[in-house]
């Protein structure tokens, strides 16, 4: 492999040259590059080695170094004289309440909770499960664990008891931090009965639980095990930061959709802090004091990296929002928050924007607010179709940046480095590989594919800082899942290609590449065509079994509000669109108009489950599903088309 091939090309636009130089330096001399980045953090003990490539099963970063992530996120800024800077804003339209914390106030709350954990016997290396709604106490819980070197594992609030039990048995927490309830726009979700059932189901029993009682619903407490949050906080002495090894785990995060044996992604302390610190300025172009809002949930990796740790490591103000993009109370919810708190950067999932576009296609609610403070919109979590990106660009008149990453990496694999110098946006592409990521496109034999040809997207070892070094208590599964397919490479599980400018195109999960009569076709490409139709709000294309061709594509389409057309007429238009833009080879003939698509709570469409329903094979209710009733609706639609019987 020639050196210039793996590096970012500098041909093309002038704007690429500065970032290309930085990127190439990160691959040519990772020790110097990341060593320099890490100097921006406070280290209790400097590292012996920036990168140990001999470590197994994967290279390790900042070996021998010691630091504390909570100290770097809070105390470091206070010590620098910025304790009065706003650290966290809480906005909850579902409870009609708001709170804010300066860095000093947040540090004091975190230190008190850390003291309460210590008083219950939690210490360095112990696991703590956090099962919380989107309230400040969720972030405080994570930071309190980090403060004393405990390893947190956040489980999405309201997760089913059985799924919570599997995570308790896998991580074996000494303690659980939870709240009495979560609040949805139309209902209150009691968390405590779910937690009690999970502990009853689990083999491992946590020693204690600290419960934040919310006024909307009080929880029944179990004597001898459950402690009241407010009481525990008032009784505790603040705890100081405990230095940990850079290679020690900061947290375990179970990937969405896991059933049976969970897959716990491990995140270390040193590499994670360094990578997130670099990303805040260089990808998102924010400075200390800027207001940064990731409209996600702490149960997902976006919430870990860019609600809690990234903004605070960078000295920014972060927003915790307990609400929805629409319905709390209307499609102007995001614009109110941006205007009210002077948000500079919004980061959310494309599905949130599709929901807003569906309810307010002309942007009437957007026009009610002054959004001049907003600099950029970032989208991630699933592939952003060009239609949604163009709609957001047109409405906002601001840069809309798609970027691509995974729970496993903790930060962007590919993005547009807006803080270095912006690159031209190509709709449908998350732009180029970020520093430290040597991304290649391989065929099934492990040969590199030419520009423009689709294959498996892999990353050459060593992965940059923050990427998972292993899975919790399951090294063999880590190797099998990520490293075995191509020796020396990490398998992303995504398929796509690289163009002549080095831009990446992530077309679909490898599982979503379908084989139609020997032709490998991307369902993502077909979705892109369907989403471009003026009447379509969102869509999904799945591959269904076919006796003649092996698989055939089947489209499921949700229409924009107010569209009222005969299904046959619209279906014929959509089929013709795909045939015209992709060709007859796609064999695209089957389409169904549905009310809504099944999604995880993070907004990912459950394509795999729909395939199993269509093919009539056995399937389980996904643990992460937002509304199980939608699968009944989809089953009915598929049966009307002759599938899933």
């Amino acid at each position: 492999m020639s050196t210039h091939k793996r590096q970012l090309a500098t041909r093309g636009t002038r704007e690429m040259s500065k970032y290309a130089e930085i990127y190439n330096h990160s691959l040519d001399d990772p020790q110097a590059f990341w060593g320099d980045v890490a100097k921006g953090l406070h280290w209790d003990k400097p590292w012996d080695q920036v990168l140990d490539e001999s470590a197994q099963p994967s290279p390790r970063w900042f070996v021998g170094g010691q630091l504390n992530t909570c100290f770097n996120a809070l105390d470091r800024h206070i010590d620098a004289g910025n304790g009065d800077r706003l650290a966290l804003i809480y906005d909850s339209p579902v409870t009609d309440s708001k709170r804010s914390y300066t860095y000093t106030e947040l540090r004091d709350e975190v230190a008190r909770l850390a003291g309460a954990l210590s008083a219950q016997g939690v210490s360095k290396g112990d696991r703590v499960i956090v099962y919380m709604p989107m309230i400040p106490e969720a972030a405080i819980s994570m930071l309190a664990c980090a403060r004393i070197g405990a390893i947190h594992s956040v489980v999405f609030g309201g997760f089913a008891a059985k799924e919570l039990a599997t995570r308790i048995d896998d991580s074996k927490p000494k303690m659980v931090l939870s709240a009495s309830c979560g609040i949805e726009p139309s209902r209150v979700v009691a968390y405590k009965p779910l937690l009690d059932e999970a502990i009853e189901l689990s083999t491992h029993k946590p020693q204690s639980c600290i419960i934040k009682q919310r006024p909307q619903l009080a929880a029944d407490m179990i004597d001898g095990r459950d402690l009241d949050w407010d009481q525990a906080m008032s009784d505790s002495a603040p705890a100081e930061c405990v230095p940990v090894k850079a290679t020690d785990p900061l947290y375990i995060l179970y990937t969405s959709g896991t059933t049976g044996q969970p897959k716990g992604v491990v995140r270390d302390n040193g590499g994670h802090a360094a990578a997130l610190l670099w990303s805040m300025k260089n990808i998102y172009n924010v400075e200390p004091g800027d207001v940064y809002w990731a409209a996600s949930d702490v149960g997902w990796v976006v919430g870990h990296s860019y609600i809690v740790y990234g903004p605070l490591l960078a000295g920014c103000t972060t927003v915790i929002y307990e609400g929805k993009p629409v319905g709390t109370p209307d499609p102007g919810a995001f614009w109110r928050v941006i205007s009210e708190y002077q948000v500079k950067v919004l980061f959310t999932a494309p599905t949130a924007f599709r929901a807003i576009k569906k309810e307010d296609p002309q942007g009437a609610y957007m026009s009610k607010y002054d959004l001049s403070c907003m600099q950029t919109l970032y989208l991630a979590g699933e592939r952003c179709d060009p239609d949604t990106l163009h709609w957001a660009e047109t409405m906002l008149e601001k840069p809309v940046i798609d970027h691509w990453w995974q729970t496993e990496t903790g930060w962007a694999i590919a993005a547009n480095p807006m803080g270095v110098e912006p690159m031209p946006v190509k709709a449908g592409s998350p732009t180029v590989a970020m520093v430290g990521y040597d991304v290649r496109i391989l065929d099934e034999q492990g040969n590199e594919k030419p520009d423009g040809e689709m294959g498996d997207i892999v990353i050459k070892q060593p992965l940059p800082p923050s990427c998972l070094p292993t899975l919790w208590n399951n090294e063999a599964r880590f190797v099998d899942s990520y490293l075995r397919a191509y020796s020396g490479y990490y398998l992303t599980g995504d398929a796509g290609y690289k163009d002549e400018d080095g831009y990446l195109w992530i077309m679909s999960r490898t599982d979503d590449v379908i084989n139609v009569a020997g032709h490998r076709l991307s369902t993502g490409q077909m979705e892109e065509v369907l989403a471009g139709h003026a009447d379509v709000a969102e869509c999904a294309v799945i591959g269904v079994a076919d006796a003649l061709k092996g698989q055939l594509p089947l489209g499921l389409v949700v229409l924009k509000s107010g569209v009222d057309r005969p299904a046959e007429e619209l279906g014929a238009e959509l089929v013709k669109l795909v045939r015209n833009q992709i060709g007859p080879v796609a064999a695209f003939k089957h389409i169904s108009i549905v009310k809504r698509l099944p999604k995880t709570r993070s907004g990912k469409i459950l394509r795999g489950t729909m395939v199993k329903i269509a093919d009539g094979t056995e399937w389980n209710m996904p643990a992460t599903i937002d509304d199980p009733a939608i699968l009944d609706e989809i089953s009915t639609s598929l049966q009307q088309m002759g599938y899933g019987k």
Side-chain angles (χ1 to χ4, degrees), residues 71-346:
F71 183 92
N72 276 284
L74 300 175
D75 305 67
R76 179 168 61 96
H77 305 302
I78 297 164
D79 291 353
N82 296 312
D84 291 337
R85 180 185 292 157
L86 208 54
L88 188 151
I89 295 164
Y90 167 62
D91 186 289
S92 172
V94 293
T95 62
D96 194 28
S97 58
K98 300 170 184 179
R99 290 209 302 276
S100 62
Y101 300 77
T102 65
Y103 270 86
T104 298
E105 288 167 344
L106 185 58
R107 190 272 315 270
D108 291 349
E109 288 286 295
V110 167
R112 269 197 295 278
L113 181 59
L117 296 179
S118 298
Q120 292 300 310
V122 177
S123 60
K124 183 160 71 172
D126 287 336
R127 275 78 62 208
V128 175
I129 277 188
V130 178
Y131 185 65
M132 281 273 190
M134 281 294 287
I135 55 177
E137 287 79 5
I140 290 165
S141 295
M142 295 163 70
L143 291 159
C145 291
R147 192 169 190 85
I148 57 172
I151 303 164
H152 64 72
S153 183
V154 180
V155 178
F156 190 96
F159 229 33
K162 179 176 173 288
E163 297 302 328
L164 178 55
T166 63
R167 287 147 177 77
I168 290 171
D169 279 336
D170 195 67
S171 62
K172 296 180 170 50
K174 188 171 275 190
M175 176 183 272
V176 178
L177 297 170
S178 189
S180 58
C181 64
I183 296 153
E184 296 291 325
S186 59
R187 64 195 176 113
V188 173
V189 182
Y191 283 7
K192 187 59 167 40
L194 293 167
L195 174 58
D196 291 342
E197 185 187 344
I199 293 173
E200 197 171 307
L201 288 170
S202 61
T203 306
H204 173 85
K205 307 297 180 187
Q207 291 178 14
S208 55
C209 303
I210 298 182
I211 309 295
K212 175 67 179 176
Q213 295 279 19
R214 303 190 74 186
Q216 292 78 13
L217 180 69
D220 294 331
M221 306 289 269
I222 294 174
D223 288 342
R225 189 196 74 189
D226 297 342
L227 304 161
D228 178 83
W229 178 288
D230 295 336
Q231 186 65 49
M233 290 285 276
S234 65
D235 292 347
S236 79
E240 292 300 320
C241 294
V242 175
V244 298
K245 293 177 184 174
T247 51
D248 281 346
L250 170 65
Y251 67 77
I252 305 161
L253 183 57
Y254 293 96
T255 55
S256 61
T258 36
T259 53
Q261 181 65 23
K263 196 158 75 171
V265 168
V266 173
R267 189 82 64 226
D268 67 9
N269 275 272
H272 171 255
L276 291 194
L277 185 64
W278 186 89
S279 74
M280 290 301 293
K281 170 61 184 140
N282 293 284
I283 296 177
Y284 301 105
N285 196 27
V286 288
E287 306 283 354
D290 285 341
V291 182
Y292 180 98
W293 178 26
S296 180
D297 189 285
V298 291
W300 311 122
V301 70
V302 171
H304 285 58
S305 295
Y306 294 112
I307 295 176
V308 181
Y309 290 113
L312 297 177
L313 285 165
C316 296
T317 303
T318 189
V319 179
I320 285 185
Y321 174 72
E322 191 181 24
K324 304 286 184 186
V326 298
T328 55
D330 54 44
F334 276 16
W335 319 130
R336 175 192 64 79
V337 172
I338 291 166
S339 177
E340 189 169 331
Y341 303 117
Q342 296 294 290
V343 173
K344 184 175 180 180
V345 165
L346 171 63

Side-chain angles (χ1 to χ4, degrees), residues 380 402-406 411-415 430 439 457 492 494 504 506:
D402 186 16
H403 59 329
W404 168 60
W405 47 299
Q406 302 179 326
W411 66 295
I413 304 169
V439 180
I457 305 176
T492 67
D494 283 300
L504 284 162
I506 291 67

